[in-house]
Amino acid sequence: MQVKETQNEGLKRGYEFTLPAADLAAQVDAKLKEAQPEIEIKGFRKGKVPLALLKKQFGQRVMGDAMQEAIDKALRDHLEKSGDRPAVQPKIEMVNGENWKEGDDVVVTVNYEALPAIPEADLSGIELERLVVEASEEQVTEALENLAKNAQSFEDRKKGTKAKEGDQVVIDFKGIVDGEAFEGGTAEDYPLVLGSKSFIPGFEDQLIGAKAGEEVKVEVKFPEEYGAPHLAGKDAIFETTVKAVKAPKPAEIDDELAKKFGAESLDALKGQIRERLEAEYKGASRQVLKRALLDKLDALVQFELPESLVEAEAHQIAHQLWHEEHPEEHGHNHGEIEPTDEHLKLAERRVRLGLLLAEIGQKAEITVSDQEMTQAVLRQARQFPGQERAFFEFVQQNPQAQQQLRAPIFEDKVVDHIVEGAKVSDKTVTKEDLEKAIEALDQV
């Protein structure tokens, strides 16, 4: 195999690989001779089929396999010798492929962008501030009150009392569209909390002021994006009978409430709430700390970036943001979304940090264990109830899905590794200060 360099500009590399026809023919003959003892063709005993006949019958297919193997080996040998690490899969094209015939040399072009050499990053001088929030008694009490509200019961109001927002009304209703009742639009003794927004817009509002025993004709319009296409955008009438009006009664904050939530006592429940709140604050604080660290790393070293990686990341960012701005579009049946300069700038940062963190992690011999991967798959599988097995099989058979799960775990472990060696000072702040710091992350 002959290798000729055709491009070497920045990170872009280009080569021309030539496989002499004689070498290819010898490789084909070797493959056929290796298979000859096991081949049986009508008129010949097993293993006695002439090589010329084998070449006539199987030569073209073996030739293709031999070409691919030779090119793959040449590329592996070249990358090992040069030390290049392609940023993406190399582009391989056969020269005059349509006009090639047996007896001609095989010539292919190989083009790729090499990953850059990452400069040594001096991490010893990194200084970080970690925000610390302790759960206050007021916050624990507020959380307890919310639990009590969620555990609330309802008691009948005095006869003749008008329903107001927050009350529960027990209703019978029948929905009518285009003059006919529709499937799923009828119920009896349905408990509806006014203001819960559990029904289509406008339904609950028209029951405010109703009394037990009254009949109300609720007129609404189904949203255009309603889940049932035959009802979407349709005007509807719900013939509704109010059977009871009930006032909310929050649960008492006592040991009985604690037992409803799996705690032995009220004090034990308070302790659990405090731990949960502080775990939430710690997670939010870590987000702020991580952003500060990434900002410092981004300014720490500079190196050339592979255009292919930056462009791919910019397109992904643009695509993701477009869907966030158009939540009604769930598929990919839309036009090309061109990245903006802002998208490209963000993509450059992400690619640079990704390569830098990968280099730091590799030097620190950081890996993602099988147990960590299994836990990640389990967490992800919970988002597909009833389809967990199918998700497991998908991940097992899809290297790209595995990498998508492995990458954030690896990144977090590298971040933890850097933080352990950095100078970190704790700063006690309020919950409001932490919330402002989190909001600031989204504005950058």
Side-chain angles (χ1 to χ4, degrees):
M1 177 73 75
Q2 300 172 3
V3 180
K4 182 175 72 173
E5 185 177 77
T6 58
Q7 184 180 26
N8 190 337
E9 300 174 3
L11 299 175
K12 294 181 179 180
R13 303 286 185 270
Y15 298 91
E16 188 176 85
F17 292 180
T18 301
L19 176 61
D23 293 352
L24 186 59
Q27 195 169 344
V28 171
D29 288 347
K31 281 182 169 291
L32 289 173
K33 287 179 181 178
E34 183 181 354
Q36 189 176 31
E38 302 300 322
I39 297 178
E40 185 175 0
I41 294 179
K42 188 175 181 181
F44 297 92
R45 285 182 296 161
K46 183 178 180 179
K48 298 299 181 181
V49 181
L51 190 61
L53 182 58
L54 290 179
K55 186 177 293 188
K56 182 177 180 180
Q57 187 159 348
F58 302 108
Q60 189 171 2
R61 180 171 50 179
V62 174
M63 177 74 75
D65 292 342
M67 282 185 189
Q68 189 62 55
E69 289 179 11
I71 293 169
D72 290 345
K73 183 179 184 305
L75 181 56
R76 286 196 305 271
D77 291 346
H78 162 72
L79 294 177
E80 184 177 348
K81 181 179 179 181
S82 66
D84 284 347
R85 296 177 297 160
V88 296
Q89 187 68 26
K91 183 179 181 181
I92 301 175
E93 293 181 329
M94 187 172 176
V95 178
N96 296 328
E98 295 181 358
N99 300 321
W100 182 88
K101 61 183 182 299
E102 190 172 349
D104 290 346
D105 291 344
V106 174
V107 182
V108 297
T109 58
V110 178
N111 293 278
Y112 60 85
E113 277 190 292
L115 288 175
I118 311 298
E120 187 74 25
D122 182 7
L123 307 177
S124 60
I126 293 181
E127 297 182 4
L128 298 167
E129 186 176 72
R130 178 165 43 216
L131 304 182
V132 178
V133 179
E134 296 178 357
S136 66
E137 284 299 324
E138 291 79 7
Q139 291 160 3
V140 173
T141 299
E142 182 183 356
L144 271 174
E145 290 172 348
N146 288 333
L147 288 179
K149 186 177 180 180
N150 291 334
Q152 70 184 359
S153 57
F154 291 88
E155 294 181 340
D156 285 325
R157 286 191 179 277
K158 291 181 180 180
K159 188 175 181 179
T161 301
K162 294 181 179 181
K164 60 183 179 179
E165 187 167 331
D167 283 352
Q168 182 191 78
V169 291
V170 180
I171 57 176
D172 294 344
F173 61 84
K174 180 173 71 173
I176 299 171
V177 170
D178 295 332
E180 295 185 3
F182 59 89
E183 184 178 356
T186 302
E188 294 182 356
D189 296 323
Y190 189 94
L192 174 64
V193 177
L194 301 182
S196 64
K197 298 182 180 180
S198 54
F199 274 29
I200 59 177
F203 189 103
E204 297 168 26
D205 295 340
Q206 295 178 54
L207 293 178
I208 292 177
K211 304 175 185 178
E214 286 187 352
E215 294 185 355
V216 181
K217 187 175 288 187
V218 177
E219 299 182 8
V220 292
K221 184 183 183 70
F222 282 97
E224 294 293 339
E225 66 277 8
Y226 193 68
H230 65 290
L231 297 176
K234 293 273 190 177
D235 292 319
I237 295 174
F238 285 85
E239 296 177 350
T240 306
T241 300
V242 180
K243 302 177 78 172
V245 175
K246 300 187 176 189
K249 181 184 178 183
E252 294 293 332
I253 299 178
D254 53 18
D255 289 344
E256 290 304 313
L257 174 67
K259 290 174 183 177
K260 287 182 180 180
F261 290 95
E264 294 182 357
S265 65
L266 182 58
D267 286 341
L269 180 59
K270 287 182 177 180
Q272 292 175 8
I273 290 173
R274 188 181 302 278
E275 289 179 5
R276 177 179 59 79
L277 289 174
E278 292 185 350
E280 290 176 2
Y281 298 154
K282 188 175 180 180
S285 175
R286 189 182 188 284
Q287 292 182 47
V288 177
L289 181 74
K290 181 178 178 181
R291 172 61 68 84
L293 172 62
L294 294 179
D295 289 344
K296 289 179 180 293
L297 291 176
D298 189 35
L300 198 59
V301 293
Q302 291 293 321
F303 49 87
E304 189 174 2
L305 303 176
E307 291 180 7
S308 54
L309 290 184
V310 173
E311 289 175 2
E313 184 68 25
H315 276 87
Q316 183 175 339
I317 292 170
H319 191 265
Q320 178 183 342
L321 293 178
W322 187 90
H323 275 285
E324 290 178 4
E325 295 171 359
H326 302 81
E328 72 282 0
E329 294 287 345
H330 300 293
H332 300 283
N333 187 23
H334 50 68
E336 182 71 17
I337 302 171
E338 288 296 329
T340 64
D341 290 342
E342 186 178 351
H343 297 150
L344 285 168
K345 186 177 180 181
L346 179 56
E348 288 175 354
R349 171 186 164 97
R350 287 188 180 180
V351 171
R352 180 165 48 251
L353 287 171
L355 293 174
L356 178 57
L357 290 173
E359 183 76 6
I360 294 172
Q362 184 179 10
K363 289 182 177 178
E365 299 183 347
I366 293 172
T367 59
V368 176
S369 68
D370 292 341
Q371 182 180 1
E372 289 169 330
M373 275 296 293
T374 299
Q375 290 173 346
V377 175
L378 285 171
R379 285 194 299 269
Q380 194 78 4
R382 292 193 191 103
Q383 300 181 20
F384 305 94
Q387 302 178 26
E388 291 87 350
R389 180 179 292 276
F391 180 78
F392 270 101
E393 293 175 353
F394 168 75
V395 172
Q396 287 176 340
Q397 300 168 9
N398 192 320
Q400 185 175 359
Q402 295 172 24
Q403 179 57 23
Q404 288 176 344
L405 290 172
R406 182 180 289 106
I409 302 173
F410 176 81
E411 180 178 292
D412 279 343
K413 293 183 75 171
V414 176
V415 167
D416 289 340
H417 166 75
I418 299 172
V419 170
E420 285 176 9
K423 299 173 183 175
V424 182
S425 58
D426 290 341
K427 179 182 179 182
T428 300
V429 298
T430 65
K431 172 189 172 185
E432 291 70 28
D433 290 334
L434 179 59
E435 289 174 345
K436 289 178 182 178
I438 288 292
E439 289 174 3
L441 299 183
D442 297 329
Q443 297 171 5
V444 177

